[in-house]
Amino acid sequence: FFQKTLTAIKNWFTLFGWSKGQNPISVPYSLRRDVCKVQMTSSQETGFKHNLGKDTKTVYDMVFHLSGQLLPGVTSSKSLPLDPVERILQLHWQHSTLLAFLKSQGAYLPHVMPEFLLEPDDYKKWIKVQTALKVADGKNSDILSDKHLVILEDSIFETMSKRAWTDVLLQIYKVFVLTRVSSHNITDQLSLESVQKMPRIKSEPLSSNIYSPYERTILTWLNKHYEKNRKIVWKDCQKGEI
């Protein structure tokens, strides 16, 4: 089930997640890798910028295409710092900003931590940086307490990262694409008898803590057409077998 879900997500975002046509993605690999269009490269003691190409598309480009909004303070054209520690801190802040933005739009992502969106090597560096800061600062800073620092083994981190990016994409779809579904009251063309037999789905916004109003609209639409067409498809069945 999880693999089928992942395949469906990859196909949809490859086809419709980007401006100017298709952009093949891999979850989580390409999303973790393509975080900026310009990369700082060290050359002896000087640093120079290496343009990764205008065709490089980042997750921020995808969010802007689907939502029409820019993440506050984040731009894909900005290069990451050359210093390894500053680079990790910048990446972690960008992922934190992305998650905070999605949550503000209604995404449900309490289980996804920003460091889960990093590449494996960057995650290890993040743990080292946080451990070093914790040792240096003692226990004065709440942000570096044990409950905020999750240390995972390589194989477990890779599984967690794939799940985290999958859930991020699902929630992006939920808050930016599903909301385009018309939430007007669906007029049912069926007879009163058929309507009474249909599973009822309440349309009130607070009637479910699982499905959004847009999802319930789709479920109602599916139920309506299933009820209508099952009596055509199985019309020759014995009484009661429909």
Side-chain angles (χ1 to χ4, degrees):
F1 171 78
F2 181 79
Q3 189 58 47
K4 288 181 179 178
T5 303
L6 183 61
T7 300
I9 292 170
K10 287 165 59 177
N11 290 343
W12 192 92
F13 279 92
T14 290
L15 294 171
F16 309 114
W18 314 86
S19 62
K20 300 179 181 178
Q22 301 178 18
N23 180 48
I25 67 167
S26 56
V27 182
Y29 312 107
S30 66
L31 298 174
R32 295 188 308 203
R33 181 188 66 234
D34 300 332
V35 291
C36 66
K37 296 179 185 294
V38 181
Q39 180 176 322
M40 291 293 292
T41 306
S42 177
S43 178
Q44 296 178 349
E45 295 182 357
T46 61
F48 64 90
K49 291 183 178 181
H50 173 60
N51 196 326
L52 299 180
K54 63 180 181 179
D55 293 332
T56 300
K57 297 181 179 180
T58 69
V59 66
Y60 311 114
D61 296 322
M62 180 181 68
V63 170
F64 176 69
H65 171 64
L66 295 176
S67 71
Q69 301 181 61
L70 292 171
L71 268 65
V74 178
T75 170
S76 59
S77 60
K78 182 180 179 181
S79 63
L80 294 170
L82 185 61
D83 180 78
V85 174
E86 292 181 4
R87 178 180 176 278
I88 292 300
L89 294 176
Q90 174 70 21
L91 268 177
H92 190 273
W93 175 82
Q94 288 184 190
H95 291 325
S96 299
T97 302
L98 172 64
L99 292 175
F101 172 74
L102 294 177
K103 290 175 184 177
S104 72
Q105 302 298 312
Y108 187 74
L109 293 164
H111 59 295
V112 176
M113 302 177 72
E115 51 266 35
F116 295 161
L117 304 181
L118 296 169
E119 292 204 76
D121 289 343
D122 288 336
Y123 172 74
K124 293 177 183 177
K125 293 174 184 175
W126 163 255
I127 294 298
K128 288 182 180 179
V129 169
Q130 295 307 299
T131 303
L133 288 174
K134 185 173 181 180
V135 171
D137 294 347
K139 297 183 179 179
N140 296 328
S141 178
D142 290 338
I143 198 171
L144 299 175
S145 62
D146 291 335
K147 65 180 181 180
H148 290 281
L149 193 59
V150 179
I151 302 177
L152 303 174
E153 297 178 2
D154 292 353
S155 59
I156 297 177
F157 171 78
E158 195 62 32
T159 300
M160 183 70 76
S161 184
K162 178 180 287 190
R163 179 60 186 266
W165 274 110
T166 300
D167 289 344
V168 165
L169 291 179
L170 280 170
Q171 292 298 309
I172 287 176
Y173 183 87
K174 177 180 178 179
V175 299
F176 296 135
V177 181
L178 272 186
T179 52
R180 302 173 190 172
V181 174
S182 176
S183 58
H184 70 275
N185 189 30
I186 300 177
T187 56
D188 203 327
Q189 302 294 327
L190 303 178
S191 66
L192 182 60
E193 181 183 359
S194 297
V195 171
Q196 290 175 343
K197 292 181 179 180
M198 280 179 56
R200 307 311 298 164
I201 299 174
K202 296 181 179 179
S203 59
E204 292 79 7
L206 299 180
S207 63
S208 173
N209 62 349
I210 298 176
Y211 299 115
S212 67
Y214 314 103
E215 290 169 299
R216 292 199 297 278
T217 297
I218 293 175
L219 287 173
T220 300
W221 182 86
L222 286 170
N223 277 344
K224 166 189 168 183
H225 289 282
Y226 174 77
E227 181 67 21
K228 179 180 178 181
N229 285 284
R230 75 187 183 95
K231 293 191 175 184
I232 299 174
V233 175
W234 293 295
K235 64 180 180 180
D236 296 326
C237 287
Q238 295 296 322
K239 182 178 179 181
E241 293 186 2
I242 290 182

